[in-house]
């Protein structure tokens, strides 16, 4: 019996959503577990220099991965029904949330960090860096939950259904 996750198009979308969402969750998870503690352990000027250089690469790769994640999950939701639709839509929206947290939380602070690296951090830099870390935790959590939800879709394998003009048998 053919179902939502056995059709070639939906299987491809689920695979793309799993891969891209896993990459986003993994990158954010690695950053939260390894980079942030390292940032906190080194002198502030070293943190600022490294953070600035890291953001040059992350800007393009992370935005692309988040875009593929959101688009593939939301397209999967549009092409399926039932539980698969709900879960895929939830995963897509969680990825959009990760993007929005990054764009409106972390990115403005990254811009300030770049300025500090060229000059000097302000007196309240520790509070601002703590706010960056709080945004980082939030986007990491939304990305990990999105990935977990997509794993549930993949493991269910038979959940939901595909939109079809054919009557159910």
């Amino acid at each position: 019996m053919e179902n939502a996750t056995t059709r070639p198009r939906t299987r491809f979308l689920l695979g793309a959503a799993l891969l891209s969402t896993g990459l986003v969750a993994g990158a954010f998870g690695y950053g939260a577990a390894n980079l942030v503690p390292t940032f906190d352990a080194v002198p502030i000027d070293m943190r600022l220099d490294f953070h600035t250089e890291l953001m040059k690469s992350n800007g393009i790769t992370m935005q692309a991965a988040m875009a593929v994640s959101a688009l593939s999950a939301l397209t999967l939701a549009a092409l399926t029904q039932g539980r698969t639709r709900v879960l895929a839509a939830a995963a897509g929206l969680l990825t959009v949330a990760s993007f929005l947290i990054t764009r409106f939380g972390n990115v403005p602070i990254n811009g300030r960090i770049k300025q500090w690296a060229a000059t000097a951090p302000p007196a309240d830099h520790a509070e601002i860096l703590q706010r960056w870390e709080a945004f980082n935790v939030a986007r990491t959590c939304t990305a990990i939950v999105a990935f977990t939800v997509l794993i549930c879709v993949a493991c269910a394998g038979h959940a939901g259904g595909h939109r079809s003009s054919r009557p159910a048998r």
Side-chain angles (χ1 to χ4, degrees):
M1 180 174 169
E2 193 171 55
N3 59 60
T5 55
T6 60
R7 294 182 184 271
R9 182 171 41 184
T10 54
R11 284 179 58 107
F12 173 79
L13 285 168
L14 180 57
L18 279 165
L19 176 61
S20 57
T21 306
L23 289 171
V24 171
F28 285 156
Y30 178 84
N34 297 296
L35 289 178
V36 171
T38 302
F39 283 162
D40 292 340
V42 299
I44 188 68
D45 59 331
M46 186 181 290
R47 176 192 178 146
L48 298 178
D49 289 343
F50 183 77
H51 195 116
T52 299
E53 286 301 314
L54 183 62
M55 294 311 110
K56 289 178 184 176
S57 302
N58 276 0
I60 294 168
T61 57
M62 292 305 294
Q63 286 183 40
M66 285 188 277
V68 172
S69 173
L71 291 173
S72 58
L74 293 172
T75 303
L76 181 65
L79 295 175
T80 57
Q81 297 178 27
R83 185 174 173 200
T84 300
R85 171 179 277 174
V86 171
L87 292 175
L93 293 174
L94 285 162
T95 302
V96 169
S98 291
F99 172 78
L100 293 173
I101 293 165
T102 300
R103 178 64 188 96
F104 296 108
N106 297 94
V107 169
I109 297 172
N110 289 343
R112 293 174 79 177
I113 290 170
K114 184 178 178 182
Q115 292 173 340
W116 302 345
T119 59
D124 66 341
H125 73 275
E127 294 170 22
I128 296 168
L129 292 174
Q130 285 177 342
R131 201 164 58 244
W132 185 93
E133 290 176 16
F135 287 128
N136 190 56
V137 168
R139 71 184 181 175
T140 300
C141 289
T142 56
I144 290 171
V145 172
F147 185 48
T148 302
V149 168
L150 288 170
I151 290 170
C152 291
V153 170
C155 288
H158 62 281
H162 190 277
R163 282 187 181 175
S164 174
S165 58
R166 293 182 290 174
R169 295 180 194 208

PDB file of all heavy atoms in Angstrom, residues 30-68:
ATOM      1  N   TYR A  30      26.273  21.818  18.150  1.00  0.00           N
ATOM      2  CA  TYR A  30      27.725  21.851  18.321  1.00  0.00           C
ATOM      3  C   TYR A  30      28.159  23.202  18.872  1.00  0.00           C
ATOM      4  O   TYR A  30      28.985  23.279  19.782  1.00  0.00           O
ATOM      5  CB  TYR A  30      28.436  21.566  16.995  1.00  0.00           C
ATOM      6  CG  TYR A  30      29.937  21.645  17.116  1.00  0.00           C
ATOM      7  CD1 TYR A  30      30.664  20.546  17.569  1.00  0.00           C
ATOM      8  CD2 TYR A  30      30.631  22.816  16.817  1.00  0.00           C
ATOM      9  CE1 TYR A  30      32.044  20.613  17.708  1.00  0.00           C
ATOM     10  CE2 TYR A  30      31.999  22.893  16.954  1.00  0.00           C
ATOM     11  CZ  TYR A  30      32.703  21.795  17.405  1.00  0.00           C
ATOM     12  OH  TYR A  30      34.062  21.883  17.559  1.00  0.00           O
ATOM     13  N   GLY A  31      27.607  24.258  18.315  1.00  0.00           N
ATOM     14  CA  GLY A  31      27.945  25.598  18.791  1.00  0.00           C
ATOM     15  C   GLY A  31      27.601  25.788  20.252  1.00  0.00           C
ATOM     16  O   GLY A  31      28.401  26.309  21.034  1.00  0.00           O
ATOM     17  N   ALA A  32      26.404  25.348  20.640  1.00  0.00           N
ATOM     18  CA  ALA A  32      25.966  25.507  22.026  1.00  0.00           C
ATOM     19  C   ALA A  32      26.800  24.658  22.985  1.00  0.00           C
ATOM     20  O   ALA A  32      27.150  25.105  24.082  1.00  0.00           O
ATOM     21  CB  ALA A  32      24.487  25.153  22.153  1.00  0.00           C
ATOM     22  N   ALA A  33      27.137  23.450  22.558  1.00  0.00           N
ATOM     23  CA  ALA A  33      27.863  22.532  23.445  1.00  0.00           C
ATOM     24  C   ALA A  33      29.367  22.775  23.478  1.00  0.00           C
ATOM     25  O   ALA A  33      30.010  22.494  24.494  1.00  0.00           O
ATOM     26  CB  ALA A  33      27.601  21.084  23.016  1.00  0.00           C
ATOM     27  N   ASN A  34      29.936  23.295  22.378  1.00  0.00           N
ATOM     28  CA  ASN A  34      31.393  23.406  22.285  1.00  0.00           C
ATOM     29  C   ASN A  34      31.917  24.822  22.075  1.00  0.00           C
ATOM     30  O   ASN A  34      32.864  25.228  22.740  1.00  0.00           O
ATOM     31  CB  ASN A  34      31.907  22.501  21.163  1.00  0.00           C
ATOM     32  CG  ASN A  34      31.625  21.048  21.454  1.00  0.00           C
ATOM     33  OD1 ASN A  34      32.135  20.509  22.410  1.00  0.00           O
ATOM     34  ND2 ASN A  34      30.787  20.428  20.653  1.00  0.00           N
ATOM     35  N   LEU A  35      31.334  25.544  21.133  1.00  0.00           N
ATOM     36  CA  LEU A  35      31.861  26.880  20.840  1.00  0.00           C
ATOM     37  C   LEU A  35      31.580  27.881  21.956  1.00  0.00           C
ATOM     38  O   LEU A  35      32.479  28.619  22.361  1.00  0.00           O
ATOM     39  CB  LEU A  35      31.294  27.412  19.524  1.00  0.00           C
ATOM     40  CG  LEU A  35      31.799  26.733  18.262  1.00  0.00           C
ATOM     41  CD1 LEU A  35      31.119  27.310  17.033  1.00  0.00           C
ATOM     42  CD2 LEU A  35      33.303  26.850  18.136  1.00  0.00           C
ATOM     43  N   VAL A  36      30.341  27.915  22.437  1.00  0.00           N
ATOM     44  CA  VAL A  36      30.003  28.900  23.467  1.00  0.00           C
ATOM     45  C   VAL A  36      30.848  28.705  24.728  1.00  0.00           C
ATOM     46  O   VAL A  36      31.403  29.679  25.249  1.00  0.00           O
ATOM     47  CB  VAL A  36      28.485  28.913  23.754  1.00  0.00           C
ATOM     48  CG1 VAL A  36      28.169  29.771  24.968  1.00  0.00           C
ATOM     49  CG2 VAL A  36      27.729  29.420  22.537  1.00  0.00           C
ATOM     50  N   PRO A  37      31.001  27.491  25.242  1.00  0.00           N
ATOM     51  CA  PRO A  37      31.883  27.337  26.409  1.00  0.00           C
ATOM     52  C   PRO A  37      33.331  27.753  26.124  1.00  0.00           C
ATOM     53  O   PRO A  37      34.008  28.305  26.985  1.00  0.00           O
ATOM     54  CB  PRO A  37      31.802  25.844  26.745  1.00  0.00           C
ATOM     55  CG  PRO A  37      30.499  25.400  26.187  1.00  0.00           C
ATOM     56  CD  PRO A  37      30.299  26.229  24.944  1.00  0.00           C
ATOM     57  N   THR A  38      33.778  27.510  24.888  1.00  0.00           N
ATOM     58  CA  THR A  38      35.125  27.928  24.510  1.00  0.00           C
ATOM     59  C   THR A  38      35.202  29.449  24.448  1.00  0.00           C
ATOM     60  O   THR A  38      36.171  30.052  24.928  1.00  0.00           O
ATOM     61  CB  THR A  38      35.531  27.310  23.162  1.00  0.00           C
ATOM     62  OG1 THR A  38      35.437  25.887  23.281  1.00  0.00           O
ATOM     63  CG2 THR A  38      36.947  27.699  22.773  1.00  0.00           C
ATOM     64  N   PHE A  39      34.188  30.079  23.853  1.00  0.00           N
ATOM     65  CA  PHE A  39      34.122  31.545  23.835  1.00  0.00           C
ATOM     66  C   PHE A  39      34.247  32.103  25.243  1.00  0.00           C
ATOM     67  O   PHE A  39      34.941  33.093  25.483  1.00  0.00           O
ATOM     68  CB  PHE A  39      32.781  32.032  23.265  1.00  0.00           C
ATOM     69  CG  PHE A  39      32.648  31.961  21.773  1.00  0.00           C
ATOM     70  CD1 PHE A  39      31.385  32.021  21.200  1.00  0.00           C
ATOM     71  CD2 PHE A  39      33.732  31.856  20.920  1.00  0.00           C
ATOM     72  CE1 PHE A  39      31.220  31.994  19.819  1.00  0.00           C
ATOM     73  CE2 PHE A  39      33.583  31.818  19.540  1.00  0.00           C
ATOM     74  CZ  PHE A  39      32.316  31.884  18.997  1.00  0.00           C
ATOM     75  N   ASP A  40      33.548  31.463  26.190  1.00  0.00           N
ATOM     76  CA  ASP A  40      33.548  31.952  27.571  1.00  0.00           C
ATOM     77  C   ASP A  40      34.881  31.717  28.285  1.00  0.00           C
ATOM     78  O   ASP A  40      35.167  32.376  29.287  1.00  0.00           O
ATOM     79  CB  ASP A  40      32.410  31.297  28.363  1.00  0.00           C
ATOM     80  CG  ASP A  40      31.037  31.747  27.883  1.00  0.00           C
ATOM     81  OD1 ASP A  40      30.941  32.801  27.225  1.00  0.00           O
ATOM     82  OD2 ASP A  40      30.049  31.029  28.167  1.00  0.00           O
ATOM     83  N   ALA A  41      35.685  30.795  27.765  1.00  0.00           N
ATOM     84  CA  ALA A  41      36.931  30.426  28.448  1.00  0.00           C
ATOM     85  C   ALA A  41      38.153  31.208  27.965  1.00  0.00           C
ATOM     86  O   ALA A  41      39.183  31.193  28.632  1.00  0.00           O
ATOM     87  CB  ALA A  41      37.192  28.929  28.273  1.00  0.00           C
ATOM     88  N   VAL A  42      38.039  31.875  26.836  1.00  0.00           N
ATOM     89  CA  VAL A  42      39.202  32.584  26.279  1.00  0.00           C
ATOM     90  C   VAL A  42      39.074  34.086  26.550  1.00  0.00           C
ATOM     91  O   VAL A  42      37.985  34.586  26.837  1.00  0.00           O
ATOM     92  CB  VAL A  42      39.351  32.323  24.760  1.00  0.00           C
ATOM     93  CG1 VAL A  42      39.574  30.835  24.495  1.00  0.00           C
ATOM     94  CG2 VAL A  42      38.166  32.853  23.980  1.00  0.00           C
ATOM     95  N   PRO A  43      40.176  34.814  26.434  1.00  0.00           N
ATOM     96  CA  PRO A  43      40.109  36.269  26.611  1.00  0.00           C
ATOM     97  C   PRO A  43      39.138  36.906  25.623  1.00  0.00           C
ATOM     98  O   PRO A  43      38.960  36.412  24.497  1.00  0.00           O
ATOM     99  CB  PRO A  43      41.546  36.736  26.343  1.00  0.00           C
ATOM    100  CG  PRO A  43      42.392  35.515  26.536  1.00  0.00           C
ATOM    101  CD  PRO A  43      41.531  34.342  26.174  1.00  0.00           C
ATOM    102  N   ILE A  44      38.506  37.994  26.021  1.00  0.00           N
ATOM    103  CA  ILE A  44      37.463  38.630  25.223  1.00  0.00           C
ATOM    104  C   ILE A  44      37.940  39.017  23.826  1.00  0.00           C
ATOM    105  O   ILE A  44      37.213  38.835  22.857  1.00  0.00           O
ATOM    106  CB  ILE A  44      36.837  39.834  25.969  1.00  0.00           C
ATOM    107  CG1 ILE A  44      35.605  40.370  25.195  1.00  0.00           C
ATOM    108  CG2 ILE A  44      37.843  40.951  26.184  1.00  0.00           C
ATOM    109  CD1 ILE A  44      34.437  39.439  25.176  1.00  0.00           C
ATOM    110  N   ASP A  45      39.157  39.517  23.680  1.00  0.00           N
ATOM    111  CA  ASP A  45      39.625  39.907  22.346  1.00  0.00           C
ATOM    112  C   ASP A  45      39.740  38.699  21.423  1.00  0.00           C
ATOM    113  O   ASP A  45      39.422  38.769  20.228  1.00  0.00           O
ATOM    114  CB  ASP A  45      40.939  40.693  22.416  1.00  0.00           C
ATOM    115  CG  ASP A  45      42.074  39.927  23.069  1.00  0.00           C
ATOM    116  OD1 ASP A  45      41.806  39.065  23.942  1.00  0.00           O
ATOM    117  OD2 ASP A  45      43.230  40.187  22.700  1.00  0.00           O
ATOM    118  N   MET A  46      40.138  37.546  21.957  1.00  0.00           N
ATOM    119  CA  MET A  46      40.213  36.318  21.164  1.00  0.00           C
ATOM    120  C   MET A  46      38.807  35.874  20.758  1.00  0.00           C
ATOM    121  O   MET A  46      38.571  35.491  19.608  1.00  0.00           O
ATOM    122  CB  MET A  46      40.914  35.210  21.952  1.00  0.00           C
ATOM    123  CG  MET A  46      41.153  33.949  21.160  1.00  0.00           C
ATOM    124  SD  MET A  46      41.963  32.661  22.124  1.00  0.00           S
ATOM    125  CE  MET A  46      43.595  33.375  22.312  1.00  0.00           C
ATOM    126  N   ARG A  47      37.863  35.933  21.701  1.00  0.00           N
ATOM    127  CA  ARG A  47      36.483  35.563  21.397  1.00  0.00           C
ATOM    128  C   ARG A  47      35.936  36.442  20.275  1.00  0.00           C
ATOM    129  O   ARG A  47      35.319  35.953  19.340  1.00  0.00           O
ATOM    130  CB  ARG A  47      35.588  35.694  22.622  1.00  0.00           C
ATOM    131  CG  ARG A  47      34.134  35.406  22.262  1.00  0.00           C
ATOM    132  CD  ARG A  47      33.142  35.773  23.313  1.00  0.00           C
ATOM    133  NE  ARG A  47      31.785  35.493  22.819  1.00  0.00           N
ATOM    134  CZ  ARG A  47      30.797  35.083  23.580  1.00  0.00           C
ATOM    135  NH1 ARG A  47      30.975  34.912  24.868  1.00  0.00           N
ATOM    136  NH2 ARG A  47      29.610  34.864  23.055  1.00  0.00           N
ATOM    137  N   LEU A  48      36.139  37.732  20.382  1.00  0.00           N
ATOM    138  CA  LEU A  48      35.590  38.663  19.397  1.00  0.00           C
ATOM    139  C   LEU A  48      36.177  38.414  18.010  1.00  0.00           C
ATOM    140  O   LEU A  48      35.445  38.402  17.017  1.00  0.00           O
ATOM    141  CB  LEU A  48      35.829  40.108  19.832  1.00  0.00           C
ATOM    142  CG  LEU A  48      35.178  40.527  21.154  1.00  0.00           C
ATOM    143  CD1 LEU A  48      35.531  41.964  21.483  1.00  0.00           C
ATOM    144  CD2 LEU A  48      33.679  40.311  21.141  1.00  0.00           C
ATOM    145  N   ASP A  49      37.479  38.205  17.943  1.00  0.00           N
ATOM    146  CA  ASP A  49      38.120  37.916  16.653  1.00  0.00           C
ATOM    147  C   ASP A  49      37.591  36.616  16.049  1.00  0.00           C
ATOM    148  O   ASP A  49      37.247  36.555  14.866  1.00  0.00           O
ATOM    149  CB  ASP A  49      39.638  37.832  16.809  1.00  0.00           C
ATOM    150  CG  ASP A  49      40.296  39.179  17.074  1.00  0.00           C
ATOM    151  OD1 ASP A  49      39.647  40.224  16.815  1.00  0.00           O
ATOM    152  OD2 ASP A  49      41.452  39.179  17.534  1.00  0.00           O
ATOM    153  N   PHE A  50      37.535  35.565  16.861  1.00  0.00           N
ATOM    154  CA  PHE A  50      37.074  34.269  16.360  1.00  0.00           C
ATOM    155  C   PHE A  50      35.603  34.340  15.968  1.00  0.00           C
ATOM    156  O   PHE A  50      35.205  33.838  14.913  1.00  0.00           O
ATOM    157  CB  PHE A  50      37.299  33.167  17.402  1.00  0.00           C
ATOM    158  CG  PHE A  50      36.915  31.812  16.901  1.00  0.00           C
ATOM    159  CD1 PHE A  50      37.739  31.120  16.033  1.00  0.00           C
ATOM    160  CD2 PHE A  50      35.713  31.233  17.275  1.00  0.00           C
ATOM    161  CE1 PHE A  50      37.380  29.865  15.550  1.00  0.00           C
ATOM    162  CE2 PHE A  50      35.343  29.987  16.794  1.00  0.00           C
ATOM    163  CZ  PHE A  50      36.177  29.302  15.933  1.00  0.00           C
ATOM    164  N   HIS A  51      34.791  34.954  16.813  1.00  0.00           N
ATOM    165  CA  HIS A  51      33.355  35.084  16.544  1.00  0.00           C
ATOM    166  C   HIS A  51      33.126  35.813  15.213  1.00  0.00           C
ATOM    167  O   HIS A  51      32.317  35.391  14.393  1.00  0.00           O
ATOM    168  CB  HIS A  51      32.694  35.849  17.700  1.00  0.00           C
ATOM    169  CG  HIS A  51      31.210  35.740  17.739  1.00  0.00           C
ATOM    170  ND1 HIS A  51      30.547  35.141  18.772  1.00  0.00           N
ATOM    171  CD2 HIS A  51      30.259  36.152  16.879  1.00  0.00           C
ATOM    172  CE1 HIS A  51      29.255  35.193  18.550  1.00  0.00           C
ATOM    173  NE2 HIS A  51      29.052  35.813  17.405  1.00  0.00           N
ATOM    174  N   THR A  52      33.865  36.888  15.000  1.00  0.00           N
ATOM    175  CA  THR A  52      33.739  37.674  13.765  1.00  0.00           C
ATOM    176  C   THR A  52      34.094  36.833  12.543  1.00  0.00           C
ATOM    177  O   THR A  52      33.376  36.828  11.539  1.00  0.00           O
ATOM    178  CB  THR A  52      34.623  38.930  13.840  1.00  0.00           C
ATOM    179  OG1 THR A  52      34.185  39.725  14.950  1.00  0.00           O
ATOM    180  CG2 THR A  52      34.554  39.745  12.572  1.00  0.00           C
ATOM    181  N   GLU A  53      35.185  36.098  12.606  1.00  0.00           N
ATOM    182  CA  GLU A  53      35.600  35.245  11.483  1.00  0.00           C
ATOM    183  C   GLU A  53      34.596  34.118  11.241  1.00  0.00           C
ATOM    184  O   GLU A  53      34.282  33.795  10.094  1.00  0.00           O
ATOM    185  CB  GLU A  53      36.997  34.675  11.720  1.00  0.00           C
ATOM    186  CG  GLU A  53      38.097  35.699  11.551  1.00  0.00           C
ATOM    187  CD  GLU A  53      38.115  36.331  10.168  1.00  0.00           C
ATOM    188  OE1 GLU A  53      38.018  35.604   9.139  1.00  0.00           O
ATOM    189  OE2 GLU A  53      38.208  37.567  10.095  1.00  0.00           O
ATOM    190  N   LEU A  54      34.097  33.533  12.312  1.00  0.00           N
ATOM    191  CA  LEU A  54      33.138  32.438  12.199  1.00  0.00           C
ATOM    192  C   LEU A  54      31.854  32.896  11.512  1.00  0.00           C
ATOM    193  O   LEU A  54      31.294  32.183  10.675  1.00  0.00           O
ATOM    194  CB  LEU A  54      32.822  31.880  13.588  1.00  0.00           C
ATOM    195  CG  LEU A  54      31.892  30.682  13.672  1.00  0.00           C
ATOM    196  CD1 LEU A  54      32.504  29.486  12.951  1.00  0.00           C
ATOM    197  CD2 LEU A  54      31.616  30.343  15.127  1.00  0.00           C
ATOM    198  N   MET A  55      31.403  34.096  11.817  1.00  0.00           N
ATOM    199  CA  MET A  55      30.162  34.609  11.239  1.00  0.00           C
ATOM    200  C   MET A  55      30.277  34.848   9.729  1.00  0.00           C
ATOM    201  O   MET A  55      29.281  34.796   9.018  1.00  0.00           O
ATOM    202  CB  MET A  55      29.718  35.896  11.927  1.00  0.00           C
ATOM    203  CG  MET A  55      29.304  35.718  13.383  1.00  0.00           C
ATOM    204  SD  MET A  55      28.144  34.354  13.643  1.00  0.00           S
ATOM    205  CE  MET A  55      29.169  33.167  14.503  1.00  0.00           C
ATOM    206  N   LYS A  56      31.474  35.078   9.231  1.00  0.00           N
ATOM    207  CA  LYS A  56      31.654  35.260   7.789  1.00  0.00           C
ATOM    208  C   LYS A  56      31.244  34.000   7.031  1.00  0.00           C
ATOM    209  O   LYS A  56      30.628  34.080   5.976  1.00  0.00           O
ATOM    210  CB  LYS A  56      33.106  35.609   7.467  1.00  0.00           C
ATOM    211  CG  LYS A  56      33.513  36.997   7.900  1.00  0.00           C
ATOM    212  CD  LYS A  56      34.981  37.248   7.588  1.00  0.00           C
ATOM    213  CE  LYS A  56      35.442  38.592   8.091  1.00  0.00           C
ATOM    214  NZ  LYS A  56      36.885  38.793   7.864  1.00  0.00           N
ATOM    215  N   SER A  57      31.586  32.847   7.553  1.00  0.00           N
ATOM    216  CA  SER A  57      31.236  31.576   6.912  1.00  0.00           C
ATOM    217  C   SER A  57      29.807  31.159   7.234  1.00  0.00           C
ATOM    218  O   SER A  57      29.077  30.698   6.361  1.00  0.00           O
ATOM    219  CB  SER A  57      32.170  30.466   7.388  1.00  0.00           C
ATOM    220  OG  SER A  57      33.493  30.786   7.107  1.00  0.00           O
ATOM    221  N   ASN A  58      29.428  31.310   8.477  1.00  0.00           N
ATOM    222  CA  ASN A  58      28.116  30.848   8.920  1.00  0.00           C
ATOM    223  C   ASN A  58      26.965  31.556   8.235  1.00  0.00           C
ATOM    224  O   ASN A  58      25.918  30.955   8.017  1.00  0.00           O
ATOM    225  CB  ASN A  58      27.955  31.036  10.431  1.00  0.00           C
ATOM    226  CG  ASN A  58      28.540  29.905  11.216  1.00  0.00           C
ATOM    227  OD1 ASN A  58      29.070  28.954  10.668  1.00  0.00           O
ATOM    228  ND2 ASN A  58      28.442  30.002  12.515  1.00  0.00           N
ATOM    229  N   GLY A  59      27.136  32.822   7.914  1.00  0.00           N
ATOM    230  CA  GLY A  59      26.038  33.585   7.338  1.00  0.00           C
ATOM    231  C   GLY A  59      25.424  32.913   6.125  1.00  0.00           C
ATOM    232  O   GLY A  59      24.212  32.756   6.027  1.00  0.00           O
ATOM    233  N   ILE A  60      26.248  32.466   5.219  1.00  0.00           N
ATOM    234  CA  ILE A  60      25.760  31.862   3.977  1.00  0.00           C
ATOM    235  C   ILE A  60      25.318  30.415   4.203  1.00  0.00           C
ATOM    236  O   ILE A  60      24.210  30.034   3.811  1.00  0.00           O
ATOM    237  CB  ILE A  60      26.847  31.934   2.884  1.00  0.00           C
ATOM    238  CG1 ILE A  60      27.101  33.395   2.526  1.00  0.00           C
ATOM    239  CG2 ILE A  60      26.448  31.129   1.661  1.00  0.00           C
ATOM    240  CD1 ILE A  60      28.329  33.611   1.684  1.00  0.00           C
ATOM    241  N   THR A  61      26.140  29.613   4.822  1.00  0.00           N
ATOM    242  CA  THR A  61      25.819  28.190   4.951  1.00  0.00           C
ATOM    243  C   THR A  61      24.603  27.942   5.838  1.00  0.00           C
ATOM    244  O   THR A  61      23.755  27.112   5.507  1.00  0.00           O
ATOM    245  CB  THR A  61      27.017  27.389   5.489  1.00  0.00           C
ATOM    246  OG1 THR A  61      27.424  27.930   6.751  1.00  0.00           O
ATOM    247  CG2 THR A  61      28.175  27.418   4.518  1.00  0.00           C
ATOM    248  N   MET A  62      24.502  28.653   6.942  1.00  0.00           N
ATOM    249  CA  MET A  62      23.380  28.422   7.846  1.00  0.00           C
ATOM    250  C   MET A  62      22.076  28.952   7.257  1.00  0.00           C
ATOM    251  O   MET A  62      21.032  28.315   7.397  1.00  0.00           O
ATOM    252  CB  MET A  62      23.651  29.031   9.223  1.00  0.00           C
ATOM    253  CG  MET A  62      24.758  28.321   9.981  1.00  0.00           C
ATOM    254  SD  MET A  62      24.493  26.538  10.162  1.00  0.00           S
ATOM    255  CE  MET A  62      23.046  26.528  11.209  1.00  0.00           C
ATOM    256  N   GLN A  63      22.118  30.083   6.587  1.00  0.00           N
ATOM    257  CA  GLN A  63      20.892  30.588   5.956  1.00  0.00           C
ATOM    258  C   GLN A  63      20.405  29.636   4.870  1.00  0.00           C
ATOM    259  O   GLN A  63      19.197  29.384   4.755  1.00  0.00           O
ATOM    260  CB  GLN A  63      21.121  31.978   5.376  1.00  0.00           C
ATOM    261  CG  GLN A  63      21.196  33.058   6.434  1.00  0.00           C
ATOM    262  CD  GLN A  63      21.359  34.433   5.813  1.00  0.00           C
ATOM    263  OE1 GLN A  63      20.757  34.742   4.800  1.00  0.00           O
ATOM    264  NE2 GLN A  63      22.174  35.264   6.440  1.00  0.00           N
ATOM    265  N   ALA A  64      21.327  29.106   4.092  1.00  0.00           N
ATOM    266  CA  ALA A  64      20.941  28.156   3.046  1.00  0.00           C
ATOM    267  C   ALA A  64      20.343  26.895   3.657  1.00  0.00           C
ATOM    268  O   ALA A  64      19.300  26.409   3.193  1.00  0.00           O
ATOM    269  CB  ALA A  64      22.153  27.810   2.184  1.00  0.00           C
ATOM    270  N   ALA A  65      20.966  26.357   4.685  1.00  0.00           N
ATOM    271  CA  ALA A  65      20.446  25.142   5.329  1.00  0.00           C
ATOM    272  C   ALA A  65      19.079  25.406   5.955  1.00  0.00           C
ATOM    273  O   ALA A  65      18.168  24.561   5.845  1.00  0.00           O
ATOM    274  CB  ALA A  65      21.428  24.631   6.378  1.00  0.00           C
ATOM    275  N   MET A  66      18.893  26.558   6.594  1.00  0.00           N
ATOM    276  CA  MET A  66      17.589  26.875   7.190  1.00  0.00           C
ATOM    277  C   MET A  66      16.528  27.046   6.106  1.00  0.00           C
ATOM    278  O   MET A  66      15.386  26.622   6.280  1.00  0.00           O
ATOM    279  CB  MET A  66      17.677  28.110   8.076  1.00  0.00           C
ATOM    280  CG  MET A  66      18.359  27.836   9.414  1.00  0.00           C
ATOM    281  SD  MET A  66      18.259  29.216  10.573  1.00  0.00           S
ATOM    282  CE  MET A  66      19.631  30.213   9.994  1.00  0.00           C
ATOM    283  N   ALA A  67      16.891  27.652   4.973  1.00  0.00           N
ATOM    284  CA  ALA A  67      15.930  27.840   3.879  1.00  0.00           C
ATOM    285  C   ALA A  67      15.493  26.489   3.311  1.00  0.00           C
ATOM    286  O   ALA A  67      14.289  26.246   3.132  1.00  0.00           O
ATOM    287  CB  ALA A  67      16.541  28.709   2.786  1.00  0.00           C
ATOM    288  N   VAL A  68      16.441  25.595   3.045  1.00  0.00           N
ATOM    289  CA  VAL A  68      16.097  24.269   2.520  1.00  0.00           C
ATOM    290  C   VAL A  68      15.248  23.507   3.534  1.00  0.00           C
ATOM    291  O   VAL A  68      14.259  22.859   3.180  1.00  0.00           O
ATOM    292  CB  VAL A  68      17.363  23.469   2.134  1.00  0.00           C
ATOM    293  CG1 VAL A  68      17.023  22.021   1.782  1.00  0.00           C
ATOM    294  CG2 VAL A  68      18.088  24.143   0.985  1.00  0.00           C
TER     295      VAL A  68
END
